Amino acid sequence: MIITLTLATASRPLVSLDFAKDRGLYRLNTQGEIENSYTLKIVNKSHQNKRYNVSVKGFEGLNLIGPAYVNLNPGEQLAFPLSVSVASDALKVDVTEIEFYLTQLGQDDSSLMATSRFTGPLDNHGKY
């Protein structure tokens, strides 16, 4: 039983990541780009300070609006807003999947990924 508990404790993830898309579908920002809002939730379950890079991927032209780096103290939980924008001509469909990445600095092979959706307007000609 002690061995099982030790293995379970040793193999648990030391950070958790969650992205929640805000209820609004999209908005046009002051630059005329389509923008979606999200809430990033991170929990540092380790006993050490951690520094992470936040990035987004999915299709060409995505811009992350918010902190690119996050510092977490041991046991700290953070929740903060982020936005993703793109020029309207870069969208090809009205809803597409995007991926958020949380990568520990100095350990590029250690990253977490969470998927979400990016939404935008679609006119009756198939363009934005």
Side-chain angles (χ1 to χ4, degrees):
M1 182 166 172
I2 293 174
I3 294 172
T4 303
L5 180 60
T6 302
L7 287 174
T9 303
S11 64
R12 76 181 176 118
L14 296 178
V15 65
S16 66
L17 169 67
D18 183 41
F19 276 89
K21 186 172 183 337
D22 290 349
R23 286 184 168 194
L25 290 178
Y26 63 89
R27 68 177 170 267
L28 293 178
N29 64 21
T30 58
Q31 290 81 31
E33 296 177 324
I34 299 165
E35 188 173 309
N36 286 210
S37 298
Y38 305 85
T39 300
L40 168 66
K41 297 177 185 177
I42 309 170
V43 180
N44 179 4
K45 300 176 187 177
S46 76
H47 297 287
Q48 293 137 2
N49 291 330
K50 301 287 183 180
R51 183 174 166 105
Y52 295 96
N53 172 262
V54 181
S55 60
V56 63
K57 295 179 184 175
F59 56 92
E60 192 67 34
L62 288 176
N63 300 306
L64 183 66
I65 303 167
Y69 297 96
V70 178
N71 294 308
L72 287 154
N73 295 319
E76 185 175 12
Q77 298 179 35
L78 287 179
F80 55 91
L82 288 175
S83 294
V84 175
S85 69
V86 68
S88 60
D89 60 354
L91 289 174
K92 306 299 181 217
V93 295
D94 58 340
V95 179
T96 188
E97 191 170 279
I98 60 173
E99 300 167 340
F100 290 95
Y101 289 88
L102 188 68
T103 305
Q104 186 174 340
L105 292 183
Q107 296 186 7
D108 291 340
D109 60 340
S110 174
S111 66
L112 294 173
M113 188 263 296
T115 60
S116 190
R117 294 191 174 160
F118 189 92
T119 58
L122 183 62
D123 71 15
N124 55 5
H125 299 293
K127 296 182 180 178
Y128 294 89

